[in-house]
Amino acid sequence: METQNNQKEKLIVTRNLKKDYTTTVGGFGQKAVVHALDRIDLEIYKGETLGLVGESGCGKSTLGRMIIRLENPTEGEVHYRDKDLLSLSRKELNPLRRNLQIIFQDPYSSLNARHTIGQIIGEGLKIHHIGTHAEQTKNVKDLMKVVGLREDAYEAYPHEFSGGQRQRIGIARALALNPELIVCDEPVSALDVSIQAQVINLLLELQKEFQLTYLFISHDLSVVKYISDRIAVMYLGRLVELAPKSELYINPTHPYTRALLSAVPIPNPEKKRDRHSISGDVPSPISPPKGCHFHPRCPEAKPICREAVPEFKEFRPDHWVRCFR
């Protein structure tokens, strides 16, 4: 993926990333393969926020987990700076885990209910032997202040907090090791709208303060537009469009992207928007359509779309699209 972004520092590079899962279907123990990711080529640049959007089940969270090697791909490569993460042993990988962290979608189930907030946030410091016990305690309390939690909540437990406060705990835990990249896996989808705004603004403030890079995964295009620098659109395990947010929202090129954007509500009852509707449901990843995965729902499908897989090509500078159109 060679563009003018070459001048920027590449933090994460994936090549031909593929992930298949084996599952049981039917009542007789039959095995089937779920094709979660299909040949993902992606670059994340230092200091940016890359938004990743798509319908539920398209592979967004799977890609995020692959990038920080919470899971291993079936095929492909993941590079962090000049290091091939997939070639590293567990012992070699452990020091790098400090630089690659994640904020999970559910702010309650991702926290150990039997641990205090101090233990949860300081767990990484303890595992990586960073500082004395007194220094770890001070670091945790300082982080609690940074994310807007009271210092006297150090000995409290997760059930004593609201959803927004729990997500702040998750953010503090991700920050504890001073990472370079944080995968934000739908971090506000389980929160009330007013709390969502607070958490998003907190993430932006922290990004400036700690020079963070985000992979921000969401299905909410309004949130993604607000926080992202570039946006990647996924459909059934494949990237179908990637562009700077201003370019994507002004010139959406793939029919799926146009349909997604046309469904975003406009906060003005006088203003009308052209709707690009798509029919049908997302096909099963167990048996995805041949050719372009989107062709059964695409109003502009051509015969070639049913037979061949379109390449992911640069349509305009820094604007990549997977479509025969």
Side-chain angles (χ1 to χ4, degrees), residues 240-261:
V240 296
E241 192 155 2
L242 171 65
K245 71 175 178 183
S246 56
E247 170 71 10
L248 189 83
Y249 278 80
I250 294 172
N251 296 308
T253 301
H254 196 280
Y256 178 62
T257 307
R258 294 206 303 272
L260 286 181
L261 292 177

Side-chain angles (χ1 to χ4, degrees), residues 41-313:
D41 289 346
L42 189 65
E43 295 169 356
I44 304 175
Y45 299 98
K46 182 173 175 58
E48 76 165 342
T49 298
L50 175 64
L52 185 60
V53 300
E55 293 171 279
S56 296
C58 70
K60 304 186 300 294
S61 295
T62 301
L63 177 57
R65 295 171 71 88
M66 296 286 160
I67 284 174
I68 61 174
R69 211 180 139 178
L70 281 183
E71 295 187 43
N72 290 322
T74 305
E75 296 178 25
E77 303 173 8
V78 179
H79 295 268
Y80 165 64
R81 293 191 178 277
D82 58 344
K83 295 181 175 61
D84 180 2
L85 295 182
L86 303 180
S87 69
L88 301 179
S89 66
R90 187 170 183 176
K91 184 177 180 180
E92 293 170 327
L93 184 64
N94 279 341
L96 296 181
R97 290 199 182 278
R98 294 175 53 178
N99 300 325
L100 308 169
Q101 294 294 305
I102 186 169
I103 301 168
F104 295 98
Q105 177 178 358
D106 189 333
Y108 187 65
S109 64
S110 64
L111 304 178
N112 190 328
R114 298 189 178 193
H115 285 183
T116 66
I117 303 312
Q119 290 173 318
I120 291 170
I121 298 174
E123 184 176 13
L125 298 173
K126 187 176 180 180
I127 290 173
H128 289 275
H129 308 290
I130 299 174
T132 64
H133 178 72
E135 290 170 337
Q136 290 174 3
T137 300
K138 182 181 183 301
N139 287 342
V140 170
K141 290 183 176 180
D142 288 344
L143 277 172
M144 291 173 66
K145 291 179 186 176
V146 167
V147 300
L149 294 170
R150 302 187 322 273
E151 187 178 319
D152 59 6
Y154 184 87
E155 296 293 341
Y157 289 85
H159 72 270
E160 301 178 52
F161 295 86
S162 66
Q165 289 173 322
R166 290 171 189 155
Q167 197 57 290
R168 290 173 187 268
I169 296 167
I171 293 170
R173 176 176 59 185
L175 284 174
L177 295 173
N178 193 26
E180 282 197 284
L181 172 76
I182 297 181
V183 174
C184 305
D185 188 5
E186 304 214 33
V188 298
S189 63
L191 306 178
D192 294 337
V193 174
S194 60
I195 305 301
Q196 286 184 13
Q198 294 175 18
V199 172
I200 291 297
N201 287 329
L202 173 63
L203 289 171
L204 289 171
E205 291 169 8
L206 294 173
Q207 184 174 38
K208 291 179 181 178
E209 183 175 351
F210 295 99
Q211 290 80 52
L212 297 170
T213 303
Y214 292 145
L215 173 62
F216 191 90
I217 299 169
S218 180
H219 60 269
D220 189 329
L221 285 159
S222 299
V223 171
V224 169
K225 182 180 181 181
Y226 181 68
I227 196 172
S228 301
D229 299 302
R230 292 188 301 146
I231 298 174
V233 182
M234 282 191 73
Y235 184 80
L236 206 62
R238 290 176 181 165
L239 290 179
V240 296
E241 192 155 2
L242 171 65
K245 71 175 178 183
S246 56
E247 170 71 10
L248 189 83
Y249 278 80
I250 294 172
N251 296 308
T253 301
H254 196 280
Y256 178 62
T257 307
R258 294 206 303 272
L260 286 181
L261 292 177
S262 72
V264 177
I266 300 175
N268 183 351
E270 302 297 326
K271 190 174 182 180
K272 295 187 181 291
R273 169 179 279 168
D274 294 333
R275 297 292 180 183
H276 297 267
S277 60
I278 51 177
S279 60
D281 297 321
V282 181
S284 169
I286 293 177
S287 55
K290 187 179 177 182
C292 173
H293 284 170
F294 187 61
H295 84 257
R297 306 173 70 192
C298 182
E300 304 173 37
K302 300 178 179 180
I304 191 174
C305 302
R306 298 173 174 83
E307 300 297 328
V309 179
E311 292 183 36
F312 198 47
K313 290 186 176 181

